[in-house]
Amino acid sequence: MSKGYGTTVGRSSRRRILRLAGGGIAMAALGAGLTGCDDDLAAGGDGSTPPPGASTEDGRAPEDGRAPEPLWTKTTSAQTFGDNDELVAVDGVVIASGDPLAALDTASGDERWSLPDGAVPGAPLLLGDGTLYLASGTYDGNVIGYTPASGKETWRSHLGKEYRQPRPVAVDAEQVYVIAEILEADHSSRTNVIAALNSGTGKVVWKEQRDLGTQQNGVHAVVRGRYLVYTDFKKNLTVRDTATGRQVWTHKTTKTSYGPFAVHQDLVIVPQGQRLQAFALSDGSEKWSVETERYTSFREPSLVEDVLYIADSGRTLWAVEPGTGKKIWQSTALKDAGAQVPRQFVKAGGTLYGATGLDKQGGVHAFDAKTGALRWTFNDESGDYHAWLIATDGKRVFALHGKKLHALPA
């Protein structure tokens, strides 16, 4: 299973600072970036967000636009940094990255299984071919696969003693792709390696040393056919051959923060400030681009059911044809409501759900997927500074905010 994610642009957000800190970046970066936190707050505006209200019998929001009440709410062990792949719903369970790693029943919220030292904070929960792949929470160099419904271990691999803290970044039907530090004789590390592990045997298929100055943290990756695509903290967009590890091409995306992007068929789609650009996976040539208004920047894109959804800092929501860049619709509902910009999207039925960053005007927005009209916003009013994360099983939308996990009717 391959995933597409979006990119944060502009100055540092608090979400970015948390991810930097979680990835082991020097605390100096934290102090330097705090002045950028008002970007996320400014996106919220001064408007009011509809509070949760009573839901109707079929779970839909009442006619007055008030959000439905959660079907259940649980306190979790979540330790997240705002990455979209730190919350997953699969095979009847919903799992949030944390220690212990716990799987909750999607219908009741009851715990189905728990795994001490199950997840490394900031590392993704990767799903592929019915397996949940994790970096070992005991930091012993293992990458482990589990059955999501039961938590049973089904696969294990070790890159080698000369490497430290391998983290899976992507998975396809045949291979698990990891990035790890290369250890020096004094146990320090100045370089890192990207490698492919066979998802059947766990054996190393190939490994390639990355350029000096690159980092093993902050990598977002997607596999599409013969191509492995990833971004990193150094604002590189890189494509490698999945069979050999050979680098096909790389671009410096100077206006793009590290982070999520989207992949559709033979294109990789990356926000770069005011422009949204699509590059050919085969050679990096630009195939289309879209521009938003002056002084505004595109945020994180999500590819959902062959439609690219993306918001900009001016609080306009876009639906775009990913193959051509053609606009399907634009909505100013967020601006009209003074609501915060979403950074992650999922869809259930005819409703598009968007999760935002910081409170107080944040939360989970519900939009009409055909027009972008804002139906309601759910906010737990906790004031927690963590970004909202969402996932869906088609029947429910799961909203994680700090330690609180809410199940909303879809």
Side-chain angles (χ1 to χ4, degrees):
M1 177 183 297
S2 62
K3 289 183 176 182
Y5 306 106
T7 296
T8 305
V9 289
R11 292 182 295 169
S12 299
S13 66
R14 185 174 302 184
R15 171 171 73 79
R16 176 182 179 187
I17 298 306
L18 289 170
R19 188 186 297 156
L20 286 170
I25 306 303
M27 288 302 291
L30 181 62
L34 287 177
T35 57
C37 292
D38 57 353
D39 282 356
D40 285 310
L41 295 175
D46 296 323
S48 60
T49 301
S55 60
T56 57
E57 292 182 0
D58 63 0
R60 297 183 182 275
E63 293 298 324
D64 62 3
R66 293 166 64 88
E69 290 184 344
L71 300 171
W72 52 259
T73 296
K74 298 289 182 177
T75 300
T76 72
S77 59
Q79 296 174 322
T80 66
F81 297 94
D83 280 340
N84 298 350
D85 50 13
E86 294 177 316
L87 178 71
V88 297
V90 60
D91 294 345
V93 295
V94 55
I95 307 169
S97 181
D99 183 14
L101 186 69
L104 305 183
D105 186 278
T106 54
S108 65
D110 295 336
E111 185 177 291
R112 292 263 291 268
W113 55 263
S114 179
L115 187 65
D117 301 319
V120 173
L125 307 177
L126 285 183
L127 293 170
D129 197 25
T131 301
L132 173 67
Y133 293 97
L134 302 173
S136 173
T138 60
Y139 300 91
D140 57 6
N142 286 308
V143 179
I144 309 172
Y146 301 90
T147 300
S150 65
K152 179 181 178 181
E153 181 181 325
T154 58
W155 181 89
R156 180 179 287 250
S157 180
H158 196 282
L159 188 59
K161 293 182 179 180
E162 64 270 37
Y163 305 103
R164 179 169 57 195
Q165 296 183 7
R167 293 190 178 196
V169 295
V171 59
D172 59 22
E174 298 179 352
Q175 296 176 158
V176 181
Y177 303 90
V178 301
I179 289 182
E181 297 175 340
I182 300 175
L183 289 176
E184 305 291 337
D186 61 358
H187 297 287
S188 66
S189 178
R190 295 187 296 274
T191 55
N192 62 89
V193 66
I194 186 164
L197 309 174
N198 185 283
S199 58
T201 65
K203 293 182 178 180
V204 178
V205 179
W206 53 258
K207 53 187 175 183
E208 293 286 333
Q209 182 171 328
R210 298 176 68 214
D211 294 340
L212 186 67
T214 58
Q215 299 169 344
Q216 74 279 8
N217 299 304
V219 172
H220 292 261
V222 176
V223 184
R224 180 55 52 89
R226 58 178 291 195
Y227 300 111
L228 171 65
V229 192
Y230 58 93
T231 57
D232 59 28
F233 277 141
K234 295 294 185 179
K235 299 181 182 178
N236 297 305
L237 173 64
T238 303
V239 175
R240 290 184 181 270
D241 187 293
T242 57
T244 65
R246 178 183 63 87
Q247 184 171 291
V248 179
W249 57 266
T250 187
H251 282 343
K252 271 290 184 184
T253 53
T254 55
K255 292 187 177 180
T256 304
S257 298
Y258 63 86
F261 52 88
V263 172
H264 173 74
Q265 297 180 356
D266 59 349
L267 299 175
V268 53
I269 305 167
V270 185
Q272 298 200 80
Q274 190 180 345
R275 299 182 71 195
L276 180 66
Q277 291 180 280
F279 302 101
L281 287 175
S282 59
D283 59 12
S285 60
E286 183 179 307
K287 293 301 181 182
W288 59 256
S289 67
V290 174
E291 289 192 7
T292 186
E293 294 181 0
R294 191 178 182 185
Y295 304 123
T296 61
S297 299
F298 280 112
R299 298 300 176 93
E300 297 89 336
S302 292
L303 188 63
V304 184
E305 297 181 3
D306 290 330
V307 176
L308 185 76
Y309 297 101
I310 189 168
D312 62 39
S313 59
R315 288 181 283 176
T316 297
L317 181 63
W318 301 58
V320 176
E321 291 182 358
T324 65
K326 181 180 178 180
K327 179 178 63 179
I328 300 173
W329 51 253
Q330 278 182 302
S331 170
T332 60
L334 290 168
K335 185 185 300 183
D336 298 339
Q340 196 178 99
V341 173
R343 42 167 298 277
Q344 180 193 8
F345 298 92
V346 299
K347 188 180 176 207
T351 302
L352 178 71
Y353 299 89
T356 74
L358 306 177
D359 269 63
K360 145 176 176 179
Q361 302 303 130
V364 173
H365 300 312
F367 304 94
D368 185 319
K370 292 184 178 179
T371 65
L374 180 61
R375 291 175 171 171
W376 47 261
T377 297
F378 173 80
N379 190 308
D380 58 14
E381 300 182 352
S382 67
D384 191 294
Y385 61 84
H386 283 85
W388 287 79
L389 300 178
I390 53 174
T392 184
D393 62 358
K395 297 179 181 179
R396 308 162 194 87
V397 173
F398 303 99
L400 179 66
H401 191 210
K403 300 286 186 182
K404 295 292 185 180
L405 180 61
H406 309 278
L408 304 175

